[in-house]
Structures are given as C-alpha cells and as structure tokens.
Amino acid sequence: MKKLGCGFWIVAFLIMAVFIDEPWWLGVIIGVPLIIFITYVINGVSDDASSSNTSSKSTFSSSNSITTTSRDIDRDYFNQISKVVDDLMTVYDSAISSQEFRDASDRFELHDGDNTIKDPTSKIQYLFWIDMAHCGKGLHLPYDRLDKTSYALFYFMERTMGGERLTYDNYRDLYRYSNHILAESVLKECYFSWHDAEDSNLFMVAHVLDQIDELQKQKYLVLLYRFTSIMAKADNTVTEEEAKFLNSIMQLQSDGNNIAVAGDMDMPETEYYRAPLDGDFGSRKALDDLIGLESVKQDVAALTNYIRIQSARGNKGMRVSPISYHCVFTGNPGTGKTTVARILAKIYKELGVVSKGHLVETDRSGLVGEYVGQTAVKTNKVIDHALGGVLFIDEAYSLLGDERDYGREAIATLLKRMEDERKRLVVILAGYTNEMKAFINSNPGLQSRFSRYIEFPDYNADELYQIFCKQLKQFDYTLSSEASETLKAYFTQVVAHKDENFGNARFVRNVFEHTLQKQANRLSKEVNLTTAKLAEIIKEDLAIEG
C-alpha cells in the first residue's frame, strides 16, 4: 500500500502542474488513466526488485536453515552412525598409512573424470568411496545429503575428506559443509564407474585387504554390514530387497567369496603380507578363538612347537632334523580347513618358514587347462604367485583323472616345483578324508612329500549353536530365550541324523541367512520398529525344519 500511495501522489502532482490552467474535467479524463498506468509500472519494478531480494533471502535461508529441509535424526540413530563411522575411519586411517595396502591397491586403475588417479592416498580414498557407493546403490538410497537414510554415507565421506568428528548436538553441521556437492557427485560417479566393472559384486577395500590379512578383511566386512544395516533401518523398515543385499554382505564375510583364487585373475607381484594393519590379530590367538576344532589346534600347536625347538637347536649349532611343512587337511566341508590354512600361513611367516605368509587358494579349475600345453603354464603361474607363502589346493583329489586327463600333468608340474622351490613354497592339500588318502597313495612323489595329516572333525550340536550365536553377535542380532532353546534342540536333532554330505558351518550359515530373511519379512509388516525389535530373532524367525 505504501508503494501504491507513493506512486499515486507523484503522478497526481505532475498532472496538476500540467493542467493547472485547464478545465478540471480534462485533467480527470487524462490524469486517471495516466495515474493507473504509471503506478502499475512503478509497482511492477518495485515488486520485481522485492521478489528478487526475497528470493535471494529465501535461497540463503534454505542453505543455512537445517530443520526445515532435513529429516530429524534421533540421538540413538546418530550414536549408531557415529560408532560405526569411527570404526570405519580406523580402518581407513590404517589403510592410508599402510605400505602393504598401497602396494596391493596398485593393480586398480581408477579415474576421476578423464584423469587417472595416481596419488596413492587419493586412490585409497576412492576405493573406500566406491564401497560406499556400492552400499548406497544396494539399498537404493537417493544420495541426498538431506535424506536421513543417506546421512551415514555423507558423514563418512566428509570424514575421509578431513571433516571433523560430530556429536549429536552439532550433527546438523554436516549439511553446512562445502564438500557435500562433491560427495554427491563422487558417490554417483563411483557407482557408475564401478557398476559396469567385471568384478562389481566385490567390495574394493575388502578385495585389497584379502591380499594383506584375511582377519582384517572380515573385520571390515562386519563393519560394512553394520554400516549398511543402520542405513537400511533408518526408516524403521527393512524391505525384502534390502535384507537380500545385507545377506550378500554377510555371506562375503562368512563364505570368503572375496578370496582371490589363483588362476582366476592376475595378481600383482607384491608382498601381500607383513603384519596386520593395526596389530590386533595374533596368529595363535586367531587359531585359539576358533570354535571347536580342539584336535586341529593341538596338531598345529605340536607342529609349531617342533619348528621352534628345531630352530633353537640350529641356533645353538646342533643338528636339526628335517621338517616337512607340507600338510594334508582332511574332513567334510565347512569344518574350517581354509580358515586354518590362512592362519597356518601366517604362523609359518612368523616362524621364518616363509618370507611373506600369504595364502593362494586354488582348485582344479585354476591348475588344469583345456588343451595340450595349457596345464603346465597355468600351474606354474599359480605357483609363482604362491612363492614366499602357502599354496592351498582344495579338493585336490579331483586332479587325479584318467590317463588322458590333464590333471596328472598338473600333479607332475607341482611336484617338480615343490622340489625346485622347497625353500620358498609350502603346499597344503585339502579334501574329503578317504578321497585324499587314496589320492596321496596313488603317487610315490605325493607320498614322500605329504606325510603330515590333520583331520578336521565335524562340529557337534553345541559348537553349531556357538557358530550361530557368533554370527548373531557379529551382525548385531539377539536371540530370544525361546528361540535359543528351540535352536539347540534343532541342532541336536540335525547332528544325530546327519549324512556324509553334512555341511557343518556352511549348514549353520544357510540357517542363519534364511532366518534373517524370515525376520525381515515379519518386521516389514510392522509400523513402529525399535532397535530392540530390529535386533531380536524370535522362534518364528528360525529357518528350521520340524
């Protein structure tokens, strides 16, 4: 109204000055339309300026006002995010300062736009970002910094870019950081650049850690599961698709799908293992912490003690008895043979038996070619990667085919390299008990080199229950008392009626994964999901028969 009044009196004054000597009705006829027109123009300009000014203020306000544009985060949810991001940052900082990690990550060629990333620190940073993008895409997150479900993603990204550690009192400061635009674009770019890659089902950091320390890789995957799980539960609902993605991460942690199988990919010639990144994992402690396998632990301890004493004798100038470090691991699937092989490789490194202590896994497909001349090349390539560490051949008995089978050529090549590289190579063969004994006895060369057998027994019912509970703890689940009793009874029944194909820990893992799926289906129908509800497994969730 002030603007209208101002325009009106200005125009009126001008008309009165012009038509002061003319008849009054002429001034009205000419003046009124002119007043309306000029006032409209003046107000239009003023409104545009005001609108522009208001828009400017509104834009500024929206970029600084958090409560009106973001979704509120409660204290419990923020504390969960803060804890897991702190733990992930410990892994990140260790990777940045680890020469082993830098060496192992050199095999990846990463790009920032059209530029190849060559700086080691930037490359490691991108590896973590790619994993974050993988998590976000797996949950179909919007990559929106103002969205509650994406808060954890942007918080971790900001921390890797030098952002400060936040508390609940100032968690909204994340929205004011200037790096958020970069984070949004990087997340999207990382996903699309990695999505089309050949190994897009793998997590990059876990893949690198696998070449350095298996236990650190498992630790990282557990953290990644917790990180992703928190984001999935942000809206108090876990969809079936989200549960499936979480299960895929859990399966990587428990199944070892991130293990590089020699012969399946080109691995860089680098020293894969020197020591754990943060020194938290001792090899003997890792062995002792395994559930069950008491006879296996005793056999490994006896071997370790024998090596130590012989070494002490040698240091005193005394005669030393020859030691065969090669082993045959026998037993059913899922009894921990591969896990113990990784630990034994590290023990050998600590004792000075091998220089690197890494484990290279393979099987028949990694050694035997399809045509004449391929087998020796493939086998030698695998052995070259294993030098300084341990070569683990699973289901080794499958190499023993008929007379026309190329598996026998792989055996001959292996035996020759074991002799030529006896100071640089240790071999562990694994498989079913009877089949492995027949395999070793079929060849005098195998008999003379493999005299140390370690039998892996099946798990009993109590040990299967402990394995299930260990996975519950790793992934932030709890078991109701009724479900606990039901599960114990179920495992007792399963062990009593098991057959020769019983999968042991693999069987438990399948039960665990299907249990989580049933829980997710049950909770998807509820509206108010608390942390306790999301964590608890009840009797009806158990994926058991009978």
Side-chain angles (χ1 to χ4, degrees), residues 23 33 39 49 107 117-118 322-323 440 486 501 517 532 543:
T39 302
R107 69 175 292 267
I117 301 175
K118 296 181 179 180
I323 305 174
I440 298 299
T486 301
N501 297 318
Q517 291 176 3

Side-chain angles (χ1 to χ4, degrees), residues 343-364:
I343 296 173
L344 185 57
K346 293 176 175 60
I347 291 176
Y348 278 163
K349 195 265 182 182
E350 294 167 0
L351 295 174
V353 175
V354 294
S355 61
K356 299 178 181 178
H358 65 292
L359 183 80
V360 173
E361 275 188 76
T362 192
D363 53 18
R364 176 187 169 89

Side-chain angles (χ1 to χ4, degrees), residues 420-481:
D420 296 341
E421 307 288 356
R422 56 185 177 275
K423 294 184 179 181
R424 304 174 62 198
L425 177 67
V426 174
V427 179
I428 297 177
L429 306 180
Y432 288 102
T433 301
N434 294 333
E435 285 84 346
M436 287 305 301
K437 289 181 178 179
F439 172 65
I440 298 299
N441 293 332
S442 70
N443 188 304
L446 293 173
Q447 284 181 311
S448 64
R449 290 171 176 80
F450 292 94
S451 58
R452 187 179 305 279
Y453 285 75
I454 297 181
E455 175 70 19
F456 285 70
D458 286 347
Y459 292 107
N460 60 37
D462 182 62
E463 291 165 347
L464 295 176
Y465 176 77
Q466 290 181 52
I467 293 172
F468 189 94
C469 291
K470 184 177 181 180
Q471 294 191 55
L472 285 175
K473 184 178 180 181
Q474 284 181 327
F475 298 102
D476 294 331
Y477 285 93
T478 60
L479 197 63
S480 71
S481 57

Side-chain angles (χ1 to χ4, degrees), residues 148-165:
K148 177 180 178 180
T149 58
S150 298
Y151 185 92
L153 271 180
F154 284 94
Y155 183 34
F156 178 76
M157 293 279 289
E158 184 64 37
R159 290 284 300 274
T160 62
M161 290 187 280
E164 64 180 4
R165 185 180 185 274

Side-chain angles (χ1 to χ4, degrees), residues 371-384:
Y371 307 104
V372 175
Q374 286 186 332
T375 297
V377 174
K378 290 186 69 174
T379 303
N380 279 315
K381 185 177 181 180
V382 171
I383 294 172
D384 288 341

Side-chain angles (χ1 to χ4, degrees), residues 245-258:
F245 181 69
L246 289 170
N247 285 336
S248 71
I249 301 177
M250 179 179 60
Q251 187 172 358
L252 287 175
Q253 191 275 332
S254 57
D255 194 26
N257 285 343
N258 267 60

